[in-house]
Structure formats: structure tokens, C-alpha cells
């Protein structure tokens, strides 16, 4: 190659190289800026969604607190109490309201056994029935059984499901006290998923419209149980196990190690944004989560990374 040609090529390379570097750097900075913009947008959307659910539960929690104060201040007769709390049932704020004593036996607005002062029994029409109890329920144990310091505690339960009508619900509950200031039991209102589903559907539809149909919403409690998962069978449901209908709920602790590791801060009510790679599909997601104030729940959103880079 002639010296003149070499010099010409060198000149071209020297002239073009800075332009290539500038173009590459600009593309990188633009991609990075776009990623940060999408991350901020996703985090803001997650916060807005969590605030929406906080408002949904706050109304219920405030009402239960009012009922608790009525009991604490002397309205302990079920007949009088029933008249007050029944209004919330008629207005469809709660599906039913439960007043449970320290031993786990309880009254509820759905009816009771007149032979036992109106408490719920195994057969409300029979004087020979046995008293029903919610003492084994996790929320009751948290509020009463394990409440050794006798504190005023509040709890929104993990989902439960009726084996008879398959209705899903959560309970908004609070400790109540007797005239001596000692724990007397709980007051609780059951919230049907029918009301909550409307909020979840709105969050989901907006999520898909704003980002992608492959974006996902999940909500878990601090026990790891799913309150909501985009895969239907991971939500609470009834299965036939050994010939007996059984309530089944999935837990995030049983997911693949990578997903649990990316999610475990939710159990402690933390806030975080990270990337998660599905070990089966290899798909990468931007993953953000935060607590829902006033509950023991956390909300998480997953956005496919390819959506970010295509934007």
C-alpha cells in the first residue's frame, strides 16, 4: 500500500473515530436515561397503586376502630352492639361483622344460636350444639393469644375462603378490652374479594395499558402468602385433597430461589427496585415493590426489560 493511501486511511479513521465514539456514547446515555425514566415511572405507578389499596382498607380499618372503642367504653351487650354494626353490613362495607371473646367463641351478624345467647355454634337451631371458635385463626392468635403485653393491635388477615360457597375474603380486625383494661377479644369485619377485585382489575388494566401485557402485579402478606398473583391457581382456592375439600394458598417462599431472593424484602415491609431474570424463560424484568401502608401487605410490579429498551 502506498504511503499516500495509508495516510488517507489513517486520516479517515482519525476523523471518523471520534464521531463513532460520540454516537455510541450518545446511544448509551439515551438508553440509560430511558431506563431511569421507565424505572421512575414504574416506581411512581407502584406507589399510586399502593395508595389506592391503602384508601380501600383505611375506610374499613377506621370503622373497625370505631366499633372497638364502643366496646371498650361499655357497649358490650351483643344485642345493642349488633344493631350498630349491622348498618355496615347493610351498606355492604362488610360482608359480616364478628365479635369474638377471649376464648375464641363469637357472635356474628350472620346469625347465632339463641340457646347460647346468640353465639355461633355448629348448629344454630340445636340446643345440643357445640360453640364455634376462631381461636386457631392466625389473626386471632396475633391479636389475642400471643398478645402477652395486652396491647391494642390491628390486623388485616391473609385471605380465607368459604368451603361452602367458595367466597374469598379478608378480615379487618382489632383487639378489644374489658372494663379493667385487659384483652377481651376482637372485633372484625369480613371484606369480600368482590369489592377488592375491582381495585385489582383497575390496577392491572392500567398497568398493561401504560407498559405491556407482559407486565405483572402481585401482592403478598408478611407471611409470604399471596393476596393476589397474576397466575390464578396461585391465589387462594379450594382443592379436593384425599377426597376432602381443602383451602389452598401459595406462598412466595415456595417460588424459585432467584425470585424469592429478589422478593424477600417484601416480608419485612421494605421498598426496593431490582432486576429479576426468570430462570425458566430467561426473560429479564425490572422489579419494584413497596409496602401498602396500614396493612401487612406489600405490592410488587414486574416490567419486561425489553419493553424498556424498545421505548
Amino acid at each position: 500500500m502506498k504511503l499516500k493511501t495509508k495516510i488517507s486511511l489513517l486520516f479517515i479513521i482519525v476523523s471518523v473515530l471520534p464521531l463513532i465514539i460520540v454516537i455510541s456514547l450518545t446511544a448509551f446515555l439515551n438508553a440509560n436515561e430511558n431506563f431511569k425514566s421507565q424505572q421512575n415511572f414504574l416506581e411512581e405507578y407502584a406507589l399510586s397503586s399502593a395508595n389506592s389499596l391503602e384508601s380501600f382498607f383505611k375506610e374499613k380499618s377506621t370503622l373497625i376502630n370505631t366499633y372497638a372503642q364502643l366496646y371498650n367504653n361499655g357497649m358490650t351487650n351483643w344485642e345493642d352492639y349488633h344493631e350498630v354494626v349491622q348498618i355496615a353490613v347493610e351498606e355492604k362495607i362488610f360482608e359480616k361483622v364478628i365479635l369474638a371473646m377471649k376464648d375464641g367463641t363469637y357472635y356474628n351478624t350472620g346469625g347465632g344460636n339463641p340457646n347460647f345467647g346468640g353465639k355461633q355454634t355448629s348448629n344454630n337451631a340445636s340446643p345440643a350444639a357445640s360453640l364455634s371458635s376462631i381461636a386457631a385463626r392466625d389473626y386471632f392468635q396475633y391479636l389475642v393469644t400471643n398478645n402477652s403485653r395486652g396491647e391494642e393491635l390491628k390486623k388485616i388477615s391473609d385471605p380465607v375462603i368459604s368451603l361452602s360457597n367458595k367466597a374469598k375474603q379478608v378480615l379487618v380486625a382489632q383487639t378489644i378490652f374489658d372494663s379493667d383494661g385487659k384483652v377481651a377479644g376482637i372485633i372484625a369485619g369480613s371484606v369480600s374479594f368482590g369489592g377488592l377485585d375491582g381495585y385489582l382489575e383497575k390496577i392491572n388494566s392500567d398497568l398493561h395499558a401504560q407498559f405491556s401485557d407482559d407486565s405483572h402485579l402481585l401482592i403478598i402478606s408478611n407471611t409470604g402468602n399471596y393476596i393476589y398473583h397474576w397466575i390464578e391457581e396461585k391465589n387462594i382456592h379450594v382443592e379436593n385433597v384425599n377426597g376432602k375439600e381443602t383451602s389452598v394458598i401459595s406462598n412466595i417462599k415456595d417460588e424459585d430461589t432467584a425470585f424469592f431472593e429478589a422478593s424477600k424484602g417484601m416480608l419485612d415491609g421494605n421498598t426496593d427496585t431490582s432486576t429479576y431474570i426468570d430462570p425458566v424463560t430467561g426473560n429479564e424484568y425490572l422489579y419494584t415493590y413497596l409496602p401498602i401502608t396500614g396493612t401487612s401487605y406489600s405490592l410488587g410490579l414486574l416490567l419486561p426489560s425489553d419493553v424498556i429498551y424498545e421505548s
Side-chain angles (χ1 to χ4, degrees), residues 155 220-225 251-253 260-272 287 289-293 295-299:
K155 177 75 174 175
I220 68 167
S221 76
N222 59 0
T223 65
N225 285 337
N251 192 292
I252 200 165
K253 297 173 186 176
F260 175 65
E261 285 298 317
S263 308
K264 64 182 181 181
M266 299 175 82
L267 302 179
D268 297 319
N270 295 334
T271 299
D272 190 33
Y287 184 19
Y289 59 76
L290 76 168
I292 301 172
T293 303
T295 75
S296 57
Y297 303 164
S298 287
L299 176 146

Side-chain angles (χ1 to χ4, degrees), residues 80-127:
D80 297 334
Y81 203 77
H82 186 187
E83 288 184 13
V84 176
V85 299
Q86 180 64 28
I87 296 171
V89 177
E90 293 171 357
E91 294 182 354
K92 301 188 184 305
I93 299 172
F94 294 118
E95 186 175 315
K96 62 183 176 183
V97 176
I98 294 170
L99 177 66
M101 302 297 98
K102 192 174 182 178
D103 61 358
T105 60
Y106 65 97
Y107 305 92
N108 85 63
T109 51
N113 191 324
N115 300 289
F116 291 83
K119 283 187 176 181
Q120 190 68 212
T121 65
S122 56
N123 181 351
N124 286 337
S126 171

Side-chain angles (χ1 to χ4, degrees), residues 63-229:
L63 193 52
I64 286 297
N65 180 62
T66 299
Y67 294 158
Q69 301 316 316
L70 288 175
Y71 188 94
N72 297 345
N73 286 285
M75 186 182 283
T76 58
N77 180 278
W78 173 243
E79 290 185 3
D80 297 334
Y81 203 77
H82 186 187
E83 288 184 13
V84 176
V85 299
Q86 180 64 28
I87 296 171
V89 177
E90 293 171 357
E91 294 182 354
K92 301 188 184 305
I93 299 172
F94 294 118
E95 186 175 315
K96 62 183 176 183
V97 176
I98 294 170
L99 177 66
M101 302 297 98
K102 192 174 182 178
D103 61 358
T105 60
Y106 65 97
Y107 305 92
N108 85 63
T109 51
N113 191 324
N115 300 289
F116 291 83
K119 283 187 176 181
Q120 190 68 212
T121 65
S122 56
N123 181 351
N124 286 337
S126 171
S130 58
L131 285 165
S132 300
S133 173
I134 58 171
R137 297 286 191 181
D138 290 345
Y139 58 85
F140 186 88
Q141 292 184 7
Y142 170 74
L143 295 168
V144 178
T145 310
N146 300 328
N147 187 5
S148 58
R149 298 176 64 179
E151 298 176 289
E152 181 181 72
L153 300 176
K154 302 177 181 181
K155 177 75 174 175
I156 298 178
S157 75
D158 285 2
V160 293
I161 191 168
S162 169
L163 296 180
S164 58
N165 60 16
K166 311 301 186 289
K168 295 186 291 183
Q169 60 186 21
V170 295
L171 274 85
V172 182
Q174 183 171 328
T175 313
I176 54 174
F177 299 88
D178 60 23
S179 57
D180 295 323
K182 295 181 179 179
V183 173
I186 70 167
I187 176 70
S190 65
V191 179
S192 168
F193 258 67
L196 183 57
D197 279 345
Y199 280 75
L200 298 177
E201 287 172 8
K202 179 69 165 57
I203 292 171
N204 257 327
S205 61
D206 288 349
L207 178 67
H208 295 159
Q210 293 285 350
F211 298 102
S212 148
D213 286 341
D214 294 323
S215 302
H216 301 305
L217 163 71
L218 69 150
I219 301 172
I220 68 167
S221 76
N222 59 0
T223 65
N225 285 337
Y226 284 114
I227 309 303
Y228 175 82
H229 194 285

Side-chain angles (χ1 to χ4, degrees), residues 35-65:
F35 182 88
K36 288 182 178 179
S37 176
Q38 286 283 48
Q39 177 178 326
N40 291 339
F41 189 29
L42 183 65
E43 289 172 348
E44 289 172 3
Y45 184 81
L47 178 60
S48 174
S49 301
N51 287 343
S52 173
L53 292 170
E54 176 192 354
S55 298
F56 174 83
F57 285 112
K58 187 174 183 179
E59 175 196 16
K60 281 76 176 172
S61 297
T62 300
L63 193 52
I64 286 297
N65 180 62

